[in-house]
Amino acid sequence: MPEINGVLESEPAVLRIDPESIMLIGDIHGNLDALEFVMAMRKKLGCKEILFLGDYVDRGTEGTEVLTELFRMKLEEPENVFLLRGNHESADMNIYYGFFEEIGFDRDFLLDISKTYERFPVAALISGHSFCVHGGINGTESIDTITKEGAFPYLWNDPSERPGLITSSRGSTVREFGPDIVDGFLKANGIKRIIRGHTALRTGYEWWFDGKLLSLFSCPDYVGLGNAAAFGLMKREEVKIITFES
């Protein structure tokens, strides 16, 4: 994996992308069919740039194939294909949620891939107006303070209708952030919205806080739930949602 490690390491914690148009893809979770559908749509839409919001493995049976394909694309098109880190890009999660079993309980490989995970960018700022991340935010901080080493809250936190930064049902170190936190973050950074993954959604997407936050989930029929999936197509500042079934 030295080649992909080099490419990911050369990227900052927060990517700055200025595309004509860009596809925004939520969690894939080892669903190769979903990835192949998304890539076919990329071709059909003639969209050069594509941003994945993390969670490529676990919960599905084809995490290895999904990662291999994403790494191949990244190596072939490093300026067009962008991979953010999700909370499942973590050895701890892989041990419990399927990927470790999928790779035949190969500890050496898990150790290697966990070092690759640590090199992934944490977030992306698109055209100075949309902040993209897997989980969420950690207060009204400046985007410039985000580091790869301090990725945890950005991979795990979730939006909430309740104000403030409050504890989450996901665990004692995870937080939920309210509408006031979102307003403060957008204002502090002079941006328009947050786009994130991380939450399984029946329709594949959900708008929060009067359009200030968009949640995307791109894995249909996730663990047999029968949900639809969705991805976003952003042109200038507008986001069009495209939904699909398994």
Side-chain angles (χ1 to χ4, degrees):
M1 280 178 282
E3 211 179 339
I4 193 70
N5 285 350
V7 173
L8 294 170
E9 198 157 10
S10 72
E11 294 183 323
V14 181
L15 301 166
R16 264 121 176 130
I17 311 168
D18 294 292
E20 273 180 43
S21 64
I22 188 166
M23 285 171 70
L24 308 164
I25 318 299
D27 306 36
I28 299 279
H29 280 300
N31 186 329
L32 188 61
D33 286 346
L35 179 60
E36 286 174 348
F37 174 78
V38 160
M39 297 322 295
M41 288 299 290
R42 181 191 182 205
K43 202 170 179 181
K44 187 179 172 185
L45 295 164
C47 193
K48 200 167 72 167
E49 270 113 338
I50 186 165
L51 173 68
F52 292 87
L53 301 173
D55 278 14
Y56 311 117
V57 301
D58 286 334
R59 307 278 202 183
T61 56
E62 297 158 327
T64 314
E65 291 86 346
V66 167
L67 263 192
T68 303
E69 185 58 19
L70 290 172
F71 288 169
R72 184 192 64 77
M73 286 161 47
K74 180 66 184 170
L75 290 171
E76 281 179 10
E77 301 182 72
E79 303 300 315
N80 298 329
V81 175
F82 303 100
L83 308 173
L84 299 186
R85 186 178 180 181
N87 67 306
H88 281 265
E89 278 66 69
S90 149
D92 290 351
M93 297 300 280
N94 295 169
I95 286 166
Y96 291 106
Y97 294 104
F99 188 55
F100 189 39
E101 187 177 350
E102 192 188 318
I103 59 172
F105 303 105
D106 185 335
R107 288 182 179 277
D108 291 338
F109 182 79
L110 190 68
L111 196 64
D112 280 351
I113 196 75
S114 70
K115 288 173 184 166
T116 301
Y117 294 154
E118 287 165 10
R119 294 172 162 93
F120 277 88
V122 179
L125 184 62
I126 299 178
S127 301
H129 57 64
S130 296
F131 177 76
C132 302
V133 68
H134 179 69
I137 55 174
N138 196 38
T140 57
E141 72 282 10
S142 161
I143 287 168
D144 298 328
T145 64
I146 298 170
T147 63
K148 291 182 181 183
E149 297 73 24
F152 184 90
Y154 303 97
L155 311 184
W156 278 94
N157 291 358
D158 292 292
S160 167
E161 294 295 350
R162 294 179 294 171
L165 261 182
I166 53 174
T167 52
S168 165
S169 59
R170 287 192 194 260
S172 61
T173 50
V174 184
R175 297 284 176 270
E176 292 181 357
F177 53 94
D180 56 327
I181 304 295
V182 169
D183 284 342
F185 180 83
L186 297 181
K187 193 175 174 187
N189 292 287
I191 58 176
K192 183 175 178 175
R193 67 167 79 86
I194 297 166
I195 299 169
R196 46 91 68 178
H198 197 39
T199 304
L201 300 161
R202 186 145 290 284
T203 56
Y205 73 100
E206 186 177 356
W207 286 100
W208 289 70
F209 314 135
D210 302 319
K212 290 173 190 168
L213 183 143
L214 170 63
S215 204
L216 291 169
F217 196 76
S218 304
C219 179
D221 194 28
Y222 174 61
V223 295
L225 289 175
N227 60 290
F231 66 86
L233 177 64
M234 185 187 286
K235 284 187 179 176
R236 297 184 185 86
E237 292 193 30
E238 298 312 305
V239 184
K240 181 184 175 189
I241 305 289
I242 297 159
T243 59
F244 60 101
E245 307 275 339
S246 60

